[in-house]
Amino acid sequence: MSSSSPFRMQLVHLDLKGAPPKVLYLAEIFPLFHALGANGILIEYEDMFPYEGPLHLLKARHAYSPSEIKEILHLAKLHDLEVIPLVQTFGHMEFVLKHEQFSHLREVELFPNALNPHKEESLALVSTMINQVMELHKGIRWFHIGCDEVYYLGEGEMSKQWLQQEQNNMVKLCLSQMKAVASHVLIHHPNVKPIVWDDMLRGISEECLTESGIAQLVEPMIWDYIEDMDVHGKVLLMDKYRKCGFPKLWVASAFKGATGVNQSLTIISHHLKNNIQWLKVADSGPAEMLQGIVLTGWQRYDHFSVLCELLPVGIPSLAVCLQALKHGGYTDHVKKIVEQYLGMSDLEINSFMSESSGTFPGSDVFTLITQVSFHLRRSVDELLERNSLLTRWNAVIQELQAALERIFYPDAVEEWLEENTHPTIQKLQQLLQDLDAAIAAQS
């Protein structure tokens, strides 16, 4: 890795809670991750992990099998990508708490996002989840336990009663669950260091963080995905964590999935600017603390949200961001390197490419989704042609469906097409039928 990069570790985040790629595609894309400068992957399994026993109902229909998990880990090792698993253990627990069997462990009865930290069964649940994931990830150095965006914490009946006691407060409530989960990891897996998203820690005073002892248990991962991120504020936050006793920390940018809940095309310039800002933070902050950066690639904003950009669509953005981090910026020289890796002749970062192509794995999906996003709705609304228009778009969508099916499981393919093509095609079909009926009525 280039000496101009301040990040020792550069990890690509795989968000599997929506449109999880088939192992076949991961085998194709991991070599590109490595070539672009990544040396690790953060795998957010959600419901794609093959949970067993009482947890078997957490598995999605196309969850990876244990043998597929082993194959993913083998592929990662083959391409020098260190794996860090991520399992949510506090907030974003919808994939667990939506099930009736676990609904009694919700913080607020109506909402399945946050875990009730007062019940012993809650800790037992997430401990079992962690243990099962650990069992298939021997030899890992870090384990991400999530803990971000714990919405409605403190609003459950047990929390309200607990908070009425004078010595209790929201900070204690939050940190107690983090500490309990992190302690489980450290006691049962002493060679593995827990990581947490930092947003629930940011507003806590230095004094409270220091006295809590959380700094000895976890490494925080500071995340921010906006393009005009406050560099000075992030440097101050890193220094705050240093003063609280955290020996190490991580940062997280984004390469896709952070500019709109239903975004279908990736705004490369946004993500490039975000990663450049993180370079500035790394250059100004306490370098000895910094473990590395994770480039997040969100697939849904939460478990019940719609799909945003699919992984192949975000690959050009990932390439731009990784190479910018590696070379300390984005120049014409870096642009040429990226284009060579992607097999693209003229990569545009400031606007969507109306005519996209490339030779990278999944480039056919990228090209066809770009075509659909640019032209489908517009051409239907204008109704430039009649039956030939329908025939043409049906052909494009069939080609796209075939390309998607090579990379994704059927339910993800169906969901994306349902959201992005079917309503417009149905509108066209209905309009053509109405036109035919009107013509027939006049003849």
Side-chain angles (χ1 to χ4, degrees):
M1 195 165 293
S2 170
S3 59
S4 59
S5 174
F7 299 109
R8 183 175 59 86
M9 299 284 291
Q10 294 183 171
L11 281 72
V12 178
H13 169 237
L14 296 176
D15 178 18
L16 303 184
K17 66 175 169 283
K22 295 178 179 179
V23 178
L24 175 70
Y25 183 65
L26 297 179
E28 296 176 353
I29 206 69
F30 280 4
L32 182 60
F33 286 178
H34 172 76
L36 290 168
N39 56 8
I41 46 177
L42 176 68
I43 306 181
E44 184 161 356
Y45 281 111
E46 241 236 12
D47 55 6
M48 283 300 290
F49 187 81
Y51 290 107
E52 298 176 342
L55 301 183
H56 76 278
L57 77 167
L58 304 184
K59 294 189 297 185
R61 185 191 316 168
H62 298 288
Y64 297 134
S65 67
S67 62
E68 286 178 315
I69 297 288
K70 291 175 183 176
E71 177 64 13
I72 292 170
L73 299 180
H74 169 71
L75 291 166
K77 186 175 182 180
L78 197 63
H79 300 291
D80 298 318
L81 298 170
E82 181 161 0
V83 173
I84 300 178
L86 189 158
V87 174
Q88 288 286 2
T89 58
F90 202 179
H92 287 293
M93 291 284 287
E94 295 95 341
F95 77 103
V96 179
L97 299 178
K98 70 179 182 181
H99 295 286
E100 185 178 353
Q101 184 174 332
F102 299 112
S103 61
H104 65 288
L105 298 178
R106 297 175 180 180
E107 165 70 347
V108 175
E109 185 179 355
L110 289 176
F111 306 118
N113 60 298
L115 193 67
N116 183 331
H118 304 280
K119 294 189 176 183
E120 290 184 12
E121 194 180 342
S122 294
L123 181 59
L125 168 66
V126 295
S127 297
T128 303
M129 292 167 63
I130 290 169
N131 291 346
Q132 290 194 15
V133 174
M134 286 282 196
E135 187 63 29
L136 288 181
H137 292 75
K138 303 289 188 183
I140 59 172
R141 294 194 289 170
W142 292 280
F143 192 105
H144 202 310
I145 59 173
C147 297
D148 60 314
E149 299 179 329
V150 190
Y151 301 134
Y152 307 111
L153 181 63
E155 296 183 22
E157 290 306 314
M158 293 183 72
S159 288
K160 288 178 180 177
Q161 293 176 18
W162 186 85
L163 289 167
Q164 286 177 357
Q165 300 176 40
E166 187 177 348
Q167 73 274 20
N168 295 335
N169 54 52
M170 284 293 294
V171 170
K172 271 189 180 181
L173 182 59
C174 177
L175 292 179
S176 63
Q177 174 70 1
M178 285 191 188
K179 289 169 62 179
V181 177
S183 296
H184 171 83
V185 172
L186 292 167
I187 290 169
H188 296 278
H189 311 278
N191 295 321
V192 181
K193 188 71 174 183
I195 298 172
V196 296
W197 297 115
D198 88 302
D199 54 287
M200 299 298 291
L201 303 175
R202 292 174 199 167
I204 301 176
S205 69
E206 286 183 27
E207 182 183 7
C208 287
L209 283 175
T210 304
E211 290 178 356
S212 72
I214 189 70
Q216 286 70 53
L217 301 176
V218 303
E219 294 177 359
M221 185 172 283
I222 305 172
W223 61 271
D224 198 330
Y225 312 137
I226 61 174
E227 58 184 329
D228 57 346
M229 187 180 75
D230 178 7
V231 171
H232 181 62
K234 290 295 181 291
V235 173
L236 291 177
L237 182 58
M238 292 173 71
D239 195 53
K240 171 185 173 178
Y241 288 148
R242 181 186 60 80
K243 291 176 182 176
C244 294
F246 290 98
K248 299 289 182 182
L249 55 76
W250 302 72
V251 300
S253 63
F255 72 90
K256 78 174 189 74
T259 59
V261 67
N262 62 345
Q263 189 80 25
S264 60
L265 297 177
T266 304
I267 306 171
I268 298 178
S269 60
H270 173 103
H271 299 294
L272 174 59
K273 290 173 185 175
N274 172 244
N275 279 274
I276 294 294
Q277 292 298 88
W278 276 116
L279 275 174
K280 295 175 183 177
V281 172
D283 287 338
S284 304
E288 72 284 354
M289 289 187 72
L290 192 55
Q291 294 280 38
I293 185 169
V294 172
L295 291 83
T296 60
W298 300 102
Q299 195 55 76
R300 299 186 196 274
Y301 278 27
D302 64 56
H303 182 79
F304 295 116
S305 187
V306 297
L307 293 170
C308 40
E309 309 106 290
L310 298 177
L311 180 56
V313 175
I315 293 300
S317 175
L318 176 64
V320 166
C321 295
L322 277 172
Q323 284 291 295
L325 292 175
K326 182 175 181 177
H327 294 279
Y330 191 70
T331 62
D332 287 341
H333 172 67
V334 176
K335 179 176 182 284
K336 286 185 174 64
I337 295 173
V338 171
E339 287 171 347
Q340 288 175 352
Y341 279 125
L342 299 177
M344 302 179 79
S345 57
D346 190 18
L347 177 61
E348 177 58 60
I349 67 167
N350 293 312
S351 62
F352 297 127
M353 301 175 67
S354 58
E355 297 299 329
S356 304
S357 61
T359 59
F360 63 90
S363 57
D364 52 348
V365 168
F366 173 63
T367 301
L368 291 162
I369 285 180
T370 301
Q371 189 177 351
V372 166
S373 298
F374 265 90
H375 302 299
L376 173 58
R377 293 183 183 89
R378 188 185 309 164
S379 66
V380 170
D381 289 340
E382 293 173 355
L383 198 62
L384 300 175
E385 302 174 56
R386 290 185 57 207
N387 289 320
S388 60
L389 178 66
L390 180 60
T391 301
R392 178 163 64 87
W393 276 116
N394 277 333
V396 170
I397 290 168
Q398 285 175 6
E399 187 180 355
L400 172 57
Q401 182 173 346
L404 289 170
E405 285 173 348
R406 193 180 66 81
I407 295 175
F408 301 106
Y409 295 99
D411 50 358
V413 175
E414 181 182 355
E415 181 179 356
W416 196 92
L417 292 174
E418 282 284 352
E419 291 171 11
N420 294 277
T421 64
H422 290 178
T424 310
I425 290 295
Q426 288 167 2
K427 177 183 174 183
L428 174 59
Q429 289 173 329
Q430 185 60 52
L431 185 55
L432 293 175
Q433 289 172 9
D434 291 346
L435 284 172
D436 288 340
I439 291 169
Q442 291 176 354
S443 58

